[in-house]
Amino acid sequence: MRHALLLALSTAVLAAPVVVSTAVAQAAPDAYVAPRTAFGQPDISGVWSNASLTPFTRSKEYGDRLAFTEAEVKEMEHAAVQEVIDGNKPTDPNAGAEFRQQAEEELRPEFRAAGGAVGGYNRGWLDPGASVMRVNGEPRTSVLTTPDGQFPKRRANATPPKPTGPRIPMGSYESYETRSLGERCIIGFGRNGGPPMLANGFYNNNYQIVQSPEAIVIETEMNHDARIVRLNAKHRTDDIRPYFGDSIGWWDGDTLVVETTNIPESQAFGGSWKNLKVTERFRRVGDERLYYGFTVEDPDLWDKPWGGEYEFIPLHGPIYEYACHEGNYALPGILSGGRAVEDKAEAKKAAAKK
């Protein structure tokens, strides 16, 4: 989709297709034999999505429950369908602030974050997923598989890596270089491209995997990022830290194992980057199911490795161009506003000296 990050949208009614999952008996992963490519690799290629109703961290009301009940799944997925219906209703342009506030309070947190202010999105532009994510048929309460479904606590004597560059405050309007990578359309916001690869809760949670005998390429729809996994290779030793880190991979039976190091500071995860290692596993476990698991390690921050898992679902369509800045006036507007504030402050100082 051609989304601009802060594009002002109309309130036109937009129909959004919704696919709701149903509980079905799933074959055990080991019982499924993945198809092979022409050069003999297990075939994990195709266009996939990780959008779902399952959050990254578990709601504390579920405690240590790894899975939802089927009744809970039915209720959540029905609510997602109704959310689309309600979100696509015509909006009264003359509605007061009280009405808009009430409407925003009834939305999911990710929708509230995307709308409300100038440049916010209407519901029809959002695609956060409409079904609960399942692993081997089990409806999961979180992507994380830690006991409580939360980020693990750092060890008592943890030593986070020191920043290597100047610290730029959030909301800096100095120049385009002080704005976020996502806002500048360099890489997608959140961790769509990984590692680990996580849905962002808004839209564009789609990927295309392309295989060759020497490399695997994972294209992320947002922002048309491509991560190249070099097969049967060694990590670089020059401490160069490219976007998405340095990924090497190998086949362990039918599982593609991807190990990534040299992750840049700008893509820190959980406060870790310098000694961060992320190990990902991709395995075709059904005709329309691609298992994805990840393990996070940093001995300077955590006592032991931790991680999560989910299953991709097929997109049944191509990934279209992500023209991030097409028609987007946000960045020049933000910087122009910053200069206007500075000019006003200078004028105030000059007036005070008279």
Side-chain angles (χ1 to χ4, degrees), residues 255-285:
T255 300
L256 173 67
V257 182
V258 177
E259 183 181 274
T260 303
T261 60
N262 293 53
I263 294 169
E265 184 179 359
S266 61
Q267 291 186 279
F269 183 59
S272 172
W273 61 275
K274 192 171 185 179
N275 295 317
L276 176 62
K277 181 171 75 172
V278 181
T279 304
E280 302 162 284
R281 289 174 172 81
F282 300 77
R283 181 185 174 96
R284 191 75 169 264
V285 291

Short mmCIF file of all heavy atoms in Angstrom, two decimals, residues 255-285:
data_model
loop_
_atom_site.label_atom_id
_atom_site.label_comp_id
_atom_site.label_asym_id
_atom_site.label_seq_id
_atom_site.Cartn_x
_atom_site.Cartn_y
_atom_site.Cartn_z
N THR A 255 14.66 -26.89 9.04
CA THR A 255 14.60 -25.59 9.71
C THR A 255 15.72 -24.68 9.24
O THR A 255 16.89 -25.07 9.27
CB THR A 255 14.68 -25.75 11.24
OG1 THR A 255 13.60 -26.56 11.69
CG2 THR A 255 14.63 -24.40 11.94
N LEU A 256 15.37 -23.48 8.81
CA LEU A 256 16.38 -22.47 8.50
C LEU A 256 16.73 -21.75 9.79
O LEU A 256 15.86 -21.16 10.44
CB LEU A 256 15.85 -21.46 7.48
CG LEU A 256 16.78 -20.26 7.22
CD1 LEU A 256 18.06 -20.71 6.53
CD2 LEU A 256 16.07 -19.18 6.41
N VAL A 257 17.99 -21.81 10.19
CA VAL A 257 18.48 -21.11 11.38
C VAL A 257 19.23 -19.86 10.93
O VAL A 257 20.13 -19.94 10.09
CB VAL A 257 19.41 -22.01 12.22
CG1 VAL A 257 19.86 -21.27 13.49
CG2 VAL A 257 18.71 -23.31 12.58
N VAL A 258 18.83 -18.71 11.46
CA VAL A 258 19.46 -17.44 11.10
C VAL A 258 20.04 -16.80 12.36
O VAL A 258 19.31 -16.59 13.33
CB VAL A 258 18.46 -16.46 10.44
CG1 VAL A 258 19.13 -15.13 10.14
CG2 VAL A 258 17.88 -17.08 9.17
N GLU A 259 21.32 -16.51 12.34
CA GLU A 259 21.98 -15.90 13.49
C GLU A 259 22.44 -14.49 13.10
O GLU A 259 23.12 -14.32 12.08
CB GLU A 259 23.18 -16.75 13.92
CG GLU A 259 23.90 -16.22 15.14
CD GLU A 259 25.10 -17.07 15.51
OE1 GLU A 259 24.90 -18.07 16.24
OE2 GLU A 259 26.22 -16.75 15.03
N THR A 260 22.04 -13.51 13.91
CA THR A 260 22.36 -12.11 13.58
C THR A 260 23.12 -11.45 14.72
O THR A 260 22.71 -11.51 15.88
CB THR A 260 21.08 -11.31 13.30
OG1 THR A 260 20.34 -11.94 12.24
CG2 THR A 260 21.41 -9.88 12.87
N THR A 261 24.23 -10.82 14.38
CA THR A 261 25.03 -10.03 15.31
C THR A 261 25.28 -8.67 14.65
O THR A 261 24.71 -8.36 13.60
CB THR A 261 26.36 -10.71 15.65
OG1 THR A 261 27.11 -10.89 14.43
CG2 THR A 261 26.13 -12.07 16.29
N ASN A 262 26.16 -7.85 15.23
CA ASN A 262 26.52 -6.55 14.66
C ASN A 262 25.30 -5.66 14.42
O ASN A 262 25.22 -4.94 13.43
CB ASN A 262 27.31 -6.72 13.35
CG ASN A 262 28.68 -7.33 13.57
OD1 ASN A 262 28.79 -8.39 14.18
ND2 ASN A 262 29.71 -6.68 13.07
N ILE A 263 24.36 -5.74 15.33
CA ILE A 263 23.15 -4.93 15.20
C ILE A 263 23.46 -3.49 15.60
O ILE A 263 24.12 -3.25 16.61
CB ILE A 263 22.03 -5.51 16.08
CG1 ILE A 263 21.62 -6.89 15.53
CG2 ILE A 263 20.82 -4.59 16.16
CD1 ILE A 263 20.72 -7.69 16.42
N PRO A 264 23.05 -2.49 14.81
CA PRO A 264 23.41 -1.10 15.10
C PRO A 264 22.67 -0.56 16.33
O PRO A 264 21.60 -1.06 16.71
CB PRO A 264 23.00 -0.35 13.84
CG PRO A 264 21.92 -1.19 13.23
CD PRO A 264 22.29 -2.61 13.55
N GLU A 265 23.24 0.46 16.91
CA GLU A 265 22.65 1.07 18.11
C GLU A 265 21.24 1.59 17.83
O GLU A 265 20.37 1.53 18.68
CB GLU A 265 23.55 2.21 18.59
CG GLU A 265 23.09 2.87 19.87
CD GLU A 265 24.02 3.98 20.31
OE1 GLU A 265 25.04 4.22 19.62
OE2 GLU A 265 23.73 4.61 21.34
N SER A 266 21.01 2.07 16.61
CA SER A 266 19.70 2.62 16.27
C SER A 266 18.61 1.55 16.25
O SER A 266 17.43 1.87 16.25
CB SER A 266 19.75 3.31 14.90
OG SER A 266 20.11 2.37 13.88
N GLN A 267 19.01 0.27 16.24
CA GLN A 267 18.04 -0.82 16.24
C GLN A 267 18.18 -1.67 17.50
O GLN A 267 17.97 -2.88 17.48
CB GLN A 267 18.19 -1.67 14.99
CG GLN A 267 17.77 -0.96 13.72
CD GLN A 267 17.80 -1.88 12.53
OE1 GLN A 267 18.85 -2.12 11.93
NE2 GLN A 267 16.65 -2.40 12.15
N ALA A 268 18.53 -1.00 18.61
CA ALA A 268 18.64 -1.70 19.90
C ALA A 268 17.32 -2.37 20.24
O ALA A 268 16.24 -1.90 19.88
CB ALA A 268 19.03 -0.71 20.99
N PHE A 269 17.42 -3.49 20.94
CA PHE A 269 16.21 -4.25 21.32
C PHE A 269 16.27 -4.53 22.81
O PHE A 269 17.22 -5.17 23.29
CB PHE A 269 16.14 -5.56 20.53
CG PHE A 269 14.90 -6.36 20.81
CD1 PHE A 269 13.64 -5.84 20.59
CD2 PHE A 269 14.99 -7.65 21.31
CE1 PHE A 269 12.50 -6.58 20.86
CE2 PHE A 269 13.87 -8.40 21.58
CZ PHE A 269 12.61 -7.85 21.35
N GLY A 270 15.29 -4.03 23.54
CA GLY A 270 15.26 -4.24 24.98
C GLY A 270 16.46 -3.61 25.68
O GLY A 270 16.87 -4.08 26.74
N GLY A 271 17.03 -2.56 25.09
CA GLY A 271 18.20 -1.90 25.65
C GLY A 271 19.52 -2.52 25.24
O GLY A 271 20.58 -2.06 25.66
N SER A 272 19.48 -3.55 24.41
CA SER A 272 20.70 -4.26 24.01
C SER A 272 20.99 -4.01 22.54
O SER A 272 20.09 -3.98 21.71
CB SER A 272 20.52 -5.76 24.25
OG SER A 272 21.60 -6.49 23.70
N TRP A 273 22.27 -3.89 22.20
CA TRP A 273 22.68 -3.81 20.80
C TRP A 273 24.14 -4.24 20.60
O TRP A 273 24.43 -5.02 19.71
CB TRP A 273 22.48 -2.40 20.24
CG TRP A 273 23.27 -1.32 20.93
CD1 TRP A 273 22.91 -0.65 22.05
CD2 TRP A 273 24.57 -0.83 20.57
NE1 TRP A 273 23.89 0.25 22.41
CE2 TRP A 273 24.92 0.17 21.52
CE3 TRP A 273 25.46 -1.12 19.54
CZ2 TRP A 273 26.13 0.85 21.48
CZ3 TRP A 273 26.68 -0.43 19.49
CH2 TRP A 273 26.99 0.55 20.44
N LYS A 274 25.03 -3.79 21.46
CA LYS A 274 26.45 -4.03 21.22
C LYS A 274 26.78 -5.51 21.20
O LYS A 274 27.49 -6.00 20.31
CB LYS A 274 27.29 -3.31 22.26
CG LYS A 274 28.77 -3.26 21.92
CD LYS A 274 29.53 -2.35 22.87
CE LYS A 274 30.97 -2.21 22.44
NZ LYS A 274 31.72 -1.30 23.34
N ASN A 275 26.31 -6.26 22.19
CA ASN A 275 26.57 -7.70 22.27
C ASN A 275 25.31 -8.52 22.03
O ASN A 275 25.24 -9.68 22.42
CB ASN A 275 27.18 -8.05 23.63
CG ASN A 275 28.55 -7.43 23.82
OD1 ASN A 275 29.36 -7.44 22.90
ND2 ASN A 275 28.81 -6.88 25.00
N LEU A 276 24.34 -7.91 21.39
CA LEU A 276 23.08 -8.59 21.13
C LEU A 276 23.24 -9.64 20.04
O LEU A 276 23.84 -9.39 18.99
CB LEU A 276 22.03 -7.57 20.70
CG LEU A 276 20.65 -8.09 20.28
CD1 LEU A 276 19.96 -8.80 21.44
CD2 LEU A 276 19.78 -6.95 19.76
N LYS A 277 22.73 -10.83 20.29
CA LYS A 277 22.66 -11.88 19.28
C LYS A 277 21.24 -12.40 19.23
O LYS A 277 20.65 -12.75 20.25
CB LYS A 277 23.62 -13.02 19.60
CG LYS A 277 23.59 -14.13 18.53
CD LYS A 277 24.70 -15.15 18.72
CE LYS A 277 24.41 -16.09 19.88
NZ LYS A 277 25.41 -17.20 19.94
N VAL A 278 20.68 -12.42 18.03
CA VAL A 278 19.31 -12.93 17.83
C VAL A 278 19.39 -14.14 16.91
O VAL A 278 19.95 -14.07 15.81
CB VAL A 278 18.40 -11.86 17.21
CG1 VAL A 278 16.98 -12.41 17.03
CG2 VAL A 278 18.35 -10.60 18.09
N THR A 279 18.85 -15.25 17.37
CA THR A 279 18.80 -16.47 16.56
C THR A 279 17.36 -16.74 16.19
O THR A 279 16.49 -16.87 17.05
CB THR A 279 19.38 -17.67 17.33
OG1 THR A 279 20.71 -17.36 17.76
CG2 THR A 279 19.42 -18.91 16.45
N GLU A 280 17.09 -16.83 14.90
CA GLU A 280 15.73 -17.04 14.39
C GLU A 280 15.64 -18.41 13.73
O GLU A 280 16.61 -18.90 13.15
CB GLU A 280 15.36 -15.95 13.38
CG GLU A 280 15.46 -14.54 13.93
CD GLU A 280 15.52 -13.51 12.82
OE1 GLU A 280 16.60 -13.37 12.21
OE2 GLU A 280 14.50 -12.84 12.57
N ARG A 281 14.44 -18.99 13.79
CA ARG A 281 14.19 -20.28 13.16
C ARG A 281 12.92 -20.22 12.31
O ARG A 281 11.88 -19.81 12.81
CB ARG A 281 14.09 -21.38 14.22
CG ARG A 281 15.43 -21.68 14.87
CD ARG A 281 15.31 -22.67 16.03
NE ARG A 281 16.65 -23.08 16.50
CZ ARG A 281 17.40 -22.36 17.31
NH1 ARG A 281 16.94 -21.20 17.78
NH2 ARG A 281 18.60 -22.79 17.67
N PHE A 282 13.06 -20.61 11.06
CA PHE A 282 11.95 -20.64 10.13
C PHE A 282 11.73 -22.09 9.71
O PHE A 282 12.68 -22.77 9.30
CB PHE A 282 12.25 -19.82 8.88
CG PHE A 282 12.53 -18.36 9.11
CD1 PHE A 282 13.76 -17.94 9.59
CD2 PHE A 282 11.57 -17.40 8.82
CE1 PHE A 282 14.04 -16.60 9.79
CE2 PHE A 282 11.83 -16.04 9.01
CZ PHE A 282 13.07 -15.64 9.50
N ARG A 283 10.49 -22.56 9.79
CA ARG A 283 10.20 -23.94 9.38
C ARG A 283 8.78 -24.01 8.81
O ARG A 283 7.82 -23.55 9.44
CB ARG A 283 10.32 -24.89 10.58
CG ARG A 283 10.06 -26.36 10.23
CD ARG A 283 10.08 -27.22 11.48
NE ARG A 283 9.70 -28.59 11.22
CZ ARG A 283 10.55 -29.59 10.99
NH1 ARG A 283 11.85 -29.35 11.01
NH2 ARG A 283 10.13 -30.81 10.77
N ARG A 284 8.67 -24.57 7.64
CA ARG A 284 7.36 -24.77 7.02
C ARG A 284 6.68 -25.92 7.74
O ARG A 284 7.18 -27.06 7.74
CB ARG A 284 7.54 -25.10 5.54
CG ARG A 284 6.28 -25.08 4.70
CD ARG A 284 5.81 -23.65 4.43
NE ARG A 284 4.76 -23.62 3.43
CZ ARG A 284 4.97 -23.41 2.13
NH1 ARG A 284 6.20 -23.22 1.69
NH2 ARG A 284 3.97 -23.38 1.29
N VAL A 285 5.55 -25.64 8.42
CA VAL A 285 4.88 -26.67 9.20
C VAL A 285 3.49 -26.99 8.65
O VAL A 285 2.72 -27.74 9.26
CB VAL A 285 4.77 -26.27 10.68
CG1 VAL A 285 6.14 -26.26 11.34
CG2 VAL A 285 4.08 -24.92 10.85
#
